Amino acid sequence: MSGGRGSRTRVGASRAVAAERAVPPRAASRTPLMEQYARVKRDHPDAFLFFRLGDFYEMFFEDAVQGAALLGLTLTSRNRQDPDPIPMCGIPWHQRDAYVARLLRLGHKVAICDQLEDAAQAKGLVQRGVTEVLTPGSVTGDAFLDPAANNFLAALWPAAGGVGVCLADASTGEVKLAQPPWEDAAALLSRLRVAEWVLPLPEEIPDGAAAPLEAALRGLPGARSPLPAARFDNPGLPLARFGEDARPLLEALPLAAAAAAAALDYLDRVQGGAALQLTRLERWDEDDTLRYDAATARHLELFQPQPGGEPRHTLWHQVNLTVLALGGRRLRGWLERPLAEPEAIARRLDTVASWAANAVARGLLRDALRGLPDLERLAARVACAKATPRDLGGLRDALARLPAVAETLEGLDESAIGGARAALAGSPALEALLRRALTDDPPPVSHEGGIIRPGYDARRDRLDDLAHSGKRWIAELESTERARTGIPSLKVGYNRVFGYYLEVTRPHLDKVPEDYERRQTLTTAERFVTPGLKAKESEVLSAEEKLRACEHELFVALREQAAGHVAAIQRAADALGTLDAHGALAEAAARFGWVRPEVDGSDRLEIEAGRHPVVERLLPRGEFVPNGVDLDGGRRQILLVTGPNMGGKSTYLRQVALIVLLAQAGSFVPAERARIGRVDRLFTRVGAADRLGAGHSTFMVEMRETADILRSATPRSLVLLDEVGRGTSTYDGLALAWAVTEHLHESGGPRPRTIFATHYHELTQLAERLPRLANVHVTVKEWGEQVVFLHRIAEGAADRSYGIHVAQLAGLPARLIARAREVLAELESERTAEHLAAGGAAAVPAAAPELPLFAGPHPLETELRGLDPERLTPLEALQRLAEWKRRWGGG
């Protein structure tokens, strides 16, 4: 693999950030503590350094300035008296994860520098070192992750003809490889949920690849971590990690294999050891999926609401009825990548139908799943040695519950459970080991003791007896010394500075024996030690320290043993996630009254009484008006939808798209009947949005999205267009909408099934010229100047848009509405804007002639053809000319 020099792109931005956050050579930074900080910071220039000082994690210098701004912390300074004080801010140690999670969500890295020895035992400066480096794409802890979504790190290796992609989820162990050409790369990358991008250094990007790489990444969220090109040039690393079975895939996708090498190298370095959890390798193949781009997901509000919206406005909020987090991730994956092959869709629908028909079994399953931990992420943390004692306790309890889950599957057809019964066998040997070894409620950390159950290890039990016998001796010392000294108020206490002590109040100081050694003087008492107390204290503390070390060693050994069972745990997790996702779709079908769709290889799209799966849930029961659709690539390819604002055109388009997406994801759908000829790509151009940060206006965004549709659509695609052309002048917009419609229809064009909603009523004339285009409209009921929107789709074209009626309903002033009606009447009689500005009192130049876009003569041509010059008097001729000039010629 050769690397050439490429132009500098945004992928090098993190280097600038690292330079900004380097430690400046301040005089105040020359103290031993600040020199220690500077040494650690030099090794992690691109990360926020959380530096442990006592009970706080502190940030200094530029980290403190930026951290205070990002996290809402108070910015203070160290050595305030110094001419150049050091900026500083801090957080309590127990709140660390919450603040780290906020920085990770903002796309930053965090290095955790902990104290490596007890401050009370340290001689001089406490030893410190980085114990963790947390980056957005490498974290495995639940505190930093969305439970119902993957957390992908994406490594990219670009070349002149395309890009290698490796998606790695360190929290689940999934690895996916793809190698799209550049024309498909942007669409693929925009669909991914990526937390962090691993890229080659800008100056080492191969020739001809820098520009398309930057174009494909433009505007995409996620932190960027540039690496030397040499990290990509290590073909032995993926092969060694994934084994010989992966060789054919790695050799078939050499660019993706290079990306995988960099991803593994990066995660190994960041996690401080081999990322052994990354074992589930597969090819990311989109040929058998229904593809849609980020714009479509945004328009349909699949997972994120529109700005100003709420989570309940999304499809995900309504259909995610899963019980487990790993079931939610499985269901989300099905919605992100719906199937495209009718046979695979039918198999998933068969399973959902089985669960939907068996409410009792479904209820038992969902009850059995409740409260189970995330086995998939637990297995990943075990594999990479990140699991805590509490994690192993959760794993033990989950394994113990698997037989109860398997019992709920008894009597069900194997096709409905897909081998889950065998996978749920789990690992009884591991469960027994963990139950024998761990306490009932293991702690979250492994260095504080309280992990191992008595009776598991003889050495641990001896140390525990020694520590507790010493404590019993100390506890009994108080009564013994009271009797010996005759001091009734004498008591035994402990603090971290002086250890164990005997406290005597001042009125009894004259009774203190000679073997008492004074250690501390208080206002009302004095504290003493004795040689026997010091010896026993040393014995107890030594035993406790040895006990904690012993339990930590035993825990690490248990974790290593558990790592040998990861494959079985992952199989059980996979079965649980699949069962939960199927059960959730069945629950939605039963709860919402959805029906099983028929998905086949035809080019039909027939939906009877379809409903919007989100809007229906937000309205009172029974208020949503259902509508059908009938599309056929051979005879009824394009539906042109006209009708009033507020009539429901956009909702209609979205509901058709969502029904198709749900059906191909394997879900039942909100309709009375649905037959869907498989869709390979789903495109929507619905709603208005700008991207000012990228320099794109609303109209530019609309045109770019429309261009993507025209370039990528096939006869198998479904295209939904709403108000294309509205962002510019009327004639420009109408001309573009007209041309787009013709292009989608013509035999040499893509000819996808299309629904086009528009207010350009002139487009309805296309039905006379385009045989596969049909007009439908949204119906209204008029009473005088009032209208009622019926939200019903009917055949034929609408005769008007009722925009003024909508404005009236919105509360515009009555005087303004009356003036609008006057202007509308003038415009419809072809009078000009200049004439209207004067209230109709002056004759003004007419507007430019209409574009010759439609069949039919100009009105002047019609009048000339009907004129008989032989019967006109000279005065009548002059009057006609004056009238024509006023209407069409100006002056």
Side-chain angles (χ1 to χ4, degrees):
M1 182 177 66
S2 62
R5 295 186 63 83
S7 61
R8 182 176 178 84
T9 63
R10 286 182 58 208
V11 296
S14 62
R15 288 181 129 194
V17 172
E20 289 177 7
R21 296 225 295 266
V23 179
R26 304 185 185 206
S29 67
R30 293 174 188 157
T31 65
L33 181 67
M34 288 294 95
E35 287 177 352
Q36 184 186 56
Y37 172 87
R39 286 195 299 272
V40 177
K41 180 63 181 175
R42 275 194 294 271
D43 293 333
H44 303 278
D46 60 344
F48 281 93
L49 182 61
F50 279 29
F51 193 74
R52 182 73 180 263
L53 285 177
D55 289 337
F56 283 80
Y57 282 102
E58 304 287 359
M59 288 177 276
F60 298 103
F61 301 105
E62 192 60 29
D63 279 4
V65 175
Q66 293 189 25
L70 292 172
L71 300 174
L73 302 174
T74 299
L75 183 65
T76 181
S77 59
R78 185 178 178 86
N79 299 352
R80 295 185 183 181
Q81 312 88 320
D82 196 278
D84 192 14
I86 299 171
M88 178 178 75
C89 68
I91 58 170
W93 69 269
H94 60 277
Q95 295 180 4
R96 184 198 79 174
D97 285 355
Y99 285 100
V100 169
R102 290 170 62 181
L103 288 174
L104 294 175
R105 284 194 294 271
L106 292 170
H108 298 285
K109 303 177 184 179
V110 181
I112 306 297
C113 181
D114 280 314
Q115 296 177 171
L116 303 181
E117 60 180 338
D118 188 342
Q121 307 295 323
K123 297 178 180 179
L125 187 64
V126 176
Q127 292 183 25
R128 294 180 176 85
V130 170
T131 55
E132 286 185 281
V133 178
L134 302 166
T135 76
S138 68
V139 289
T140 59
D142 289 337
F144 312 122
L145 298 165
D146 180 346
N150 281 102
N151 189 67
F152 282 124
L153 175 140
L156 307 182
W157 177 251
V163 61
V165 181
C166 174
L167 290 173
D169 187 340
S171 72
T172 65
E174 297 167 83
V175 182
K176 305 176 189 297
L177 303 184
Q179 193 167 301
W182 283 120
E183 55 265 27
D184 296 332
L188 170 66
L189 298 181
S190 73
R191 288 194 294 273
L192 304 178
R193 181 186 172 93
V194 173
E196 186 174 2
W197 303 90
V198 172
L199 309 161
L201 290 170
E203 60 270 22
E204 295 183 337
I205 294 176
D207 292 334
L213 176 63
E214 183 58 29
L217 290 173
R218 186 175 295 120
L220 297 184
R224 300 192 182 185
S225 300
L227 297 182
R231 305 275 180 86
F232 294 81
D233 193 8
N234 186 2
L237 179 57
L239 189 61
R241 190 67 53 87
F242 300 128
E244 280 297 320
D245 290 344
R247 184 183 293 275
L249 177 57
L250 295 171
E251 291 179 349
L253 304 175
L255 299 180
L264 292 171
D265 179 274
Y266 180 77
L267 289 172
D268 288 352
R269 291 169 185 267
V270 168
Q271 293 187 354
L276 298 177
Q277 74 271 36
L278 299 174
T279 57
R280 300 156 67 188
L281 179 68
E282 64 178 274
R283 182 170 187 160
W284 185 277
D285 191 350
E286 298 208 311
D287 291 341
D288 57 355
T289 62
L290 186 164
R291 284 178 274 178
Y292 58 85
D293 58 14
T296 295
R298 187 170 61 250
H299 295 156
L300 297 179
E301 297 184 278
L302 296 182
F303 304 105
Q304 296 293 329
Q306 297 283 7
E310 302 175 24
R312 66 194 185 103
H313 298 160
T314 65
L315 177 69
W316 177 240
H317 181 84
Q318 300 299 332
V319 303
N320 182 24
L321 302 181
T322 55
V323 176
L324 303 176
L326 62 94
R329 291 197 298 276
R330 182 61 48 84
L331 179 58
R332 182 174 179 130
W334 291 352
L335 293 174
E336 288 177 336
R337 304 183 71 222
L339 301 169
E341 292 304 318
E343 294 79 9
I345 297 169
R347 286 194 295 272
R348 189 174 292 170
L349 286 170
D350 286 343
T351 304
V352 173
S354 295
W355 284 111
N358 198 333
V360 173
R362 187 175 72 248
L364 291 173
L365 171 68
R366 289 167 64 82
D367 288 343
L369 294 177
R370 294 187 199 283
L372 279 173
D374 193 334
L375 269 184
E376 188 173 44
R377 284 180 167 163
L378 272 179
R381 290 198 290 274
V382 168
C384 67
K386 297 286 186 182
T388 66
R390 186 161 293 172
D391 285 337
L392 288 192
L395 176 60
R396 170 199 62 198
D397 298 341
L399 291 173
R401 289 180 56 187
L402 291 183
V405 177
E407 283 181 13
T408 67
L409 308 180
E410 293 296 333
L412 295 175
D413 189 87
E414 192 66 25
S415 63
I417 59 177
R421 192 178 289 110
L424 291 177
S427 180
L430 177 61
E431 188 268 332
L433 172 65
L434 296 178
R435 184 158 302 282
R436 186 164 56 88
L438 297 174
T439 57
D440 290 340
D441 186 19
V445 294
S446 63
H447 293 282
E448 302 298 329
I451 304 170
I452 303 300
R453 188 184 295 276
Y456 175 71
D457 180 80
R459 176 169 170 263
R460 178 261 169 211
D461 290 346
R462 285 195 300 272
L463 291 170
D464 185 61
D465 288 343
L466 183 60
H468 281 85
S469 65
K471 285 186 175 180
R472 283 193 298 271
W473 183 90
I474 291 171
E476 293 168 356
L477 179 65
E478 187 173 293
S479 59
T480 303
E481 288 300 302
R482 283 181 179 181
R484 182 169 79 94
T485 62
I487 303 173
S489 61
L490 182 149
K491 62 182 181 180
V492 175
Y494 175 83
N495 67 35
R496 296 180 62 182
V497 177
F498 296 103
Y500 288 98
Y501 56 82
L502 298 162
E503 185 173 293
V504 179
T505 56
R506 288 194 175 278
H508 297 285
L509 289 178
D510 59 330
K511 301 176 184 177
V512 170
E514 292 183 1
D515 62 337
Y516 276 34
E517 301 174 13
R518 183 179 283 105
R519 278 288 180 266
Q520 187 180 15
T521 299
L522 306 178
T523 303
T524 61
E526 292 197 14
R527 292 174 175 173
F528 302 87
V529 297
T530 67
L533 178 59
K534 287 193 296 183
K536 187 60 71 172
E537 176 189 42
S538 176
E539 182 181 296
V540 168
L541 295 180
S542 175
E544 288 183 337
E545 184 178 345
K546 290 178 180 177
L547 175 62
R548 288 193 295 268
C550 178
E551 290 210 351
H552 175 72
E553 291 174 8
L554 291 171
F555 162 71
V556 170
L558 277 175
R559 189 169 60 188
E560 290 175 353
Q561 287 179 272
H565 298 261
V566 162
I569 300 169
Q570 287 177 334
R571 286 194 296 272
D574 185 66
L576 290 172
T578 302
L579 287 170
D580 191 20
H582 281 136
L585 291 180
E587 184 71 16
R591 192 180 297 184
F592 305 148
W594 293 359
V595 301
R596 176 173 179 161
E598 177 188 353
V599 182
D600 57 30
S602 72
D603 59 3
R604 303 296 300 274
L605 180 53
E606 301 171 1
I607 299 172
E608 293 181 9
R611 311 184 303 275
H612 192 295
V614 178
V615 177
E616 180 187 33
R617 306 301 307 157
L618 300 178
L619 294 176
R621 188 177 183 87
E623 284 200 8
F624 187 86
V625 178
N627 279 295
V629 64
D630 181 12
L631 281 173
D632 183 333
R635 60 174 181 83
R636 193 177 162 97
Q637 173 211 337
I638 299 176
L639 288 187
L640 195 69
V641 187
T642 50
N645 302 98
M646 292 287 294
K649 297 190 300 298
S650 296
T651 299
Y652 178 64
L653 266 63
R654 288 184 171 100
Q655 95 180 23
V656 172
L658 292 174
I659 288 173
V660 169
L661 188 146
L662 284 170
Q664 295 199 200
S667 170
F668 283 28
V669 298
E672 289 185 3
R673 188 183 74 86
R675 178 189 177 190
I676 296 167
R678 73 175 185 88
V679 174
D680 65 350
R681 296 189 179 193
L682 177 62
F683 299 98
T684 65
R685 165 85 280 287
V686 182
D690 55 29
R691 296 177 195 156
L692 299 180
H696 297 162
S697 67
T698 300
F699 184 66
M700 174 58 80
V701 171
E702 178 183 309
M703 289 297 101
R704 282 182 175 272
E705 291 178 356
T706 303
D708 289 340
I709 292 171
L710 299 179
R711 183 166 50 246
S712 305
T714 73
R716 280 284 177 195
S717 301
L718 177 62
V719 174
L720 305 170
L721 302 172
D722 188 18
E723 304 293 353
V724 169
R726 65 180 167 183
T728 185
S729 70
T730 300
Y731 283 142
D732 282 356
L734 177 55
L736 286 166
W738 186 286
V740 166
T741 306
E742 287 185 331
H743 178 75
L744 291 170
H745 183 278
E746 65 189 22
S747 59
R751 291 184 59 175
R753 288 160 288 180
T754 303
I755 306 178
F756 191 160
T758 184
H759 281 291
Y760 293 132
H761 290 275
E762 296 86 348
L763 290 180
T764 60
Q765 300 175 33
L766 284 168
E768 301 172 7
R769 300 177 48 242
L770 305 180
R772 296 187 306 282
L773 184 146
N775 286 314
V776 296
H777 69 282
V778 182
T779 56
V780 300
K781 185 72 174 178
E782 293 188 65
W783 276 282
E785 294 185 351
Q786 303 296 319
V787 296
V788 176
F789 302 113
L790 302 179
H791 304 297
R792 184 78 65 188
I793 301 294
E795 294 293 320
D799 56 354
R800 51 198 297 202
S801 288
Y802 298 94
I804 293 177
H805 294 81
V806 174
Q808 186 176 16
L809 290 173
L812 269 64
R815 183 178 177 185
L816 186 151
I817 295 295
R819 175 58 177 155
R821 295 188 191 282
E822 177 187 338
V823 172
L824 178 62
E826 295 284 355
L827 289 172
E828 288 179 340
S829 65
E830 299 187 287
R831 302 181 77 176
T832 65
E834 291 86 350
H835 182 82
L836 293 168
V844 292
E850 281 192 72
L851 290 176
L853 191 59
F854 317 110
H858 189 282
L860 177 57
E861 181 183 349
T862 302
E863 294 210 17
L864 286 171
R865 290 184 183 279
L867 191 66
D868 186 355
E870 298 296 331
R871 296 187 178 185
L872 278 179
T873 66
L875 180 59
E876 288 173 336
L878 288 172
Q879 289 174 337
R880 288 287 183 91
L881 286 171
E883 172 66 16
W884 292 340
K885 184 171 179 59
R886 182 186 66 77
R887 291 173 63 185
W888 297 302

